Amino acid sequence: MKMKEVYKRAQKSFLYGTCAAGRYHAGLGMPLYLERADGPYLYDVEGREWIDFNTSAGAAFFGYNNPRIRKAVERSLEMGFFMNYESEYHYQLADQICEVIPCAEKVRLSNTGTEATMGAVRLARAFTGKDKIVRFEGHFHGMSELVFYNHGTLGEMDSYGEVTPKPDSAGFPASYADPMIIVEFNRIDALEHVVKKYRGQIAAVIMEAVSYNCGCMPADKEYLRQVRALCDREQIVLIFDEVLSGFRPGIGGAQEYYGVTPDLATIAKALGGGFPVAALVGKREVMEALNPGGPTVMSGTYTGSLMPVLVALECLAMMREPGFYDRLNSLSQRLYDGMNELFRRFKVRGHIRGLGNRFSTYFGIEDENDDYRFRKIVEHFDGGVYNKFIAKVLDRSLYFHISGWAGKGVSLPTHCGTTSAHTEKEIDIALDRMESVFKELGSE
């Protein structure tokens, strides 16, 4: 009852009782209101304990209340938790980012992935003197008018794979779509077609090398190599949006995993371990077009606040410890294998697809090894069964999120994940609870 009371009270000042639309849980009919969080667990205002598989949309890479992160926070408090000034810790963070991210020769901090992506697009345009941006259907790059197109909204696709730009929100002037070029992902012929069609006008190609915002749709490795070669030949800036994939499959992110180095990349989420910090990183010759030396403005009062900088340093230190990724990825694979076995055993159509510690449940899509595309996901993903799955796991105190965001025009699987705080205990408890869930789904 207390959850409903809090929800009712929150609606007095908040629309739908939340300060961010994505936190409204369609399965709960309200946001989840917490009292506290610790390790891999959430504790709501009624005292109920949840094993968390949303993990703050991927930001809680180390779980909650991590003692080493707490120590970094306490250190910033002792130092005065200042902002809008620099310290030696700022360049130490930048140095470490440059050591582990292949494309990072220079770093510019920001607060959010959206800010970093806005900066990346602006920088690419300034560096090249061109206006048009190529992006891919289904990918998500934040909610700015520069790139918030065709993530959850389908446009018409021609025979070449070019798609009519469709904004993912109301309030976009029609003219904002003019520089947008949308193509189908993992099709080099589609990209080659638009590059030829708009030759000399394209500033950048931006992509999620692993599109976790389509659940978990990875790029084909050879495709990425071809994209890299095409951008080199046409003098187009290649941008990897690694807000989610950064530090995910390994410390070097998707670009290290694939062995393909972009010109620019955006990182966030895992970098801050739950604190607001992001970065635009890239090759020196491109990054030097940023102010104060270059003509491209990217700055902010809260950028590089001391607390998240110290936290990010500690996060990187934990990531760099021997065995960190071996354990994290092995534990995640234990969950994926266990869930896929439940799909098979109870003859539920679908599978789990994951990379690193982020995954999704593709109900209605059978072959986990199939190289399917965004439109195949939209066509075959069974949102009805997924909603039933969500309702049943919530009944068993496993927290999987499903957004009630009305702006999404198509049904897509929500990305989920584990954290370094999860252990075999939580994974095995979750699989045990999900056994009855899949049994019920298989009998319906």
Side-chain angles (χ1 to χ4, degrees), residues 425-443:
K425 172 187 172 184
E426 285 78 37
I427 300 303
D428 291 345
I429 289 172
L431 289 172
D432 183 63
R433 294 177 186 177
M434 280 191 273
E435 183 173 2
S436 61
V437 169
F438 279 88
K439 184 177 181 180
E440 291 176 10
L441 291 174
S443 63

Side-chain angles (χ1 to χ4, degrees), residues 60 126 411:
S411 181

Side-chain angles (χ1 to χ4, degrees), residues 34-287:
L34 298 185
E35 187 70 35
R36 63 187 180 94
D38 190 69
Y41 295 99
L42 307 173
Y43 299 88
D44 67 29
V45 292
E46 295 179 358
R48 183 179 180 183
E49 178 186 85
W50 304 77
I51 301 177
D52 183 27
F53 290 103
N54 176 48
T55 70
S56 298
F61 195 61
F62 303 92
Y64 304 98
N65 199 26
N66 181 287
R68 292 175 63 171
I69 291 178
R70 281 180 64 94
K71 188 173 180 179
V73 170
E74 290 164 1
R75 186 176 187 184
S76 77
L77 294 175
E78 292 168 359
M79 292 176 63
F81 55 95
F82 55 80
M83 64 194 68
N84 205 30
Y85 296 98
E86 300 288 312
S87 74
E88 61 183 316
Y89 301 106
H90 288 70
Y91 71 71
Q92 289 175 15
L93 175 59
D95 286 351
Q96 290 198 30
I97 290 172
C98 289
E99 288 174 4
V100 298
I101 302 295
C103 79
E105 295 176 357
K106 292 290 182 180
V107 176
R108 177 63 58 90
L109 295 182
S110 65
N111 298 295
T112 67
T114 291
E115 286 182 16
T117 303
M118 289 171 62
V121 170
R122 184 182 303 154
L123 176 59
R125 284 179 168 146
F127 178 74
T128 62
K130 305 169 188 175
D131 289 338
K132 291 191 179 294
I133 304 295
V134 177
R135 54 150 295 148
F136 298 92
E137 192 178 40
H139 291 201
F140 178 70
H141 305 296
M143 297 186 186
S144 81
E145 286 82 347
L146 295 176
V147 285
F148 195 27
Y149 289 81
N150 297 74
H151 162 53
T153 309
L154 287 177
E156 294 183 9
M157 182 185 293
D158 67 19
S159 59
Y160 298 100
E162 184 177 358
V163 182
T164 304
K166 294 288 185 181
D168 284 306
S169 172
F172 283 30
S175 61
Y176 279 42
D178 292 344
M180 284 288 100
I181 304 169
I182 317 295
V183 297
E184 188 173 15
F185 191 51
N186 273 334
R187 272 188 62 184
I188 194 62
D189 62 322
L191 184 59
E192 288 174 338
H193 165 73
V194 296
V195 167
K196 181 178 180 180
K197 179 178 177 180
Y198 302 101
R199 178 160 283 144
Q201 302 176 59
I202 299 173
V205 170
I206 185 170
M207 68 166 72
E208 291 184 276
V210 182
S211 184
Y212 288 107
N213 288 288
C214 293
C216 178
M217 188 173 73
D220 177 74
K221 188 172 185 178
E222 182 57 29
Y223 169 77
L224 284 188
R225 289 174 176 167
Q226 292 171 323
V227 173
R228 176 70 275 178
L230 180 61
C231 288
D232 286 340
R233 185 172 71 245
E234 300 292 334
Q235 297 183 314
I236 295 169
V237 174
L238 177 58
I239 306 169
F240 279 7
D241 182 340
E242 296 224 50
V243 168
L244 262 170
S245 63
F247 313 105
R248 197 71 57 180
I251 198 164
Q255 54 194 276
E256 179 185 61
Y257 176 79
Y258 284 108
V260 176
T261 304
D263 301 301
L264 297 174
T266 57
I267 53 177
K269 300 273 187 183
L271 177 64
F275 283 75
V277 62
L280 167 60
V281 305
K283 297 179 179 178
R284 178 192 296 268
E285 63 174 335
V286 184
M287 294 289 287

Side-chain angles (χ1 to χ4, degrees), residues 336-353 360-366 368 385-386 389 434 438 441-442:
Y336 309 158
D337 291 345
M339 292 184 71
N340 276 326
E341 175 58 28
L342 292 175
F343 271 104
R344 289 188 287 268
R345 196 196 322 167
F346 294 106
K347 296 181 172 56
V348 177
R349 293 184 68 247
H351 69 280
I352 297 297
R353 187 174 226 173
S360 197
T361 49
Y362 285 88
F363 286 98
I365 303 175
E366 291 281 14
E368 62 190 275
V385 176
Y386 182 61
F389 168 78
M434 280 191 273
F438 279 88
L441 291 174

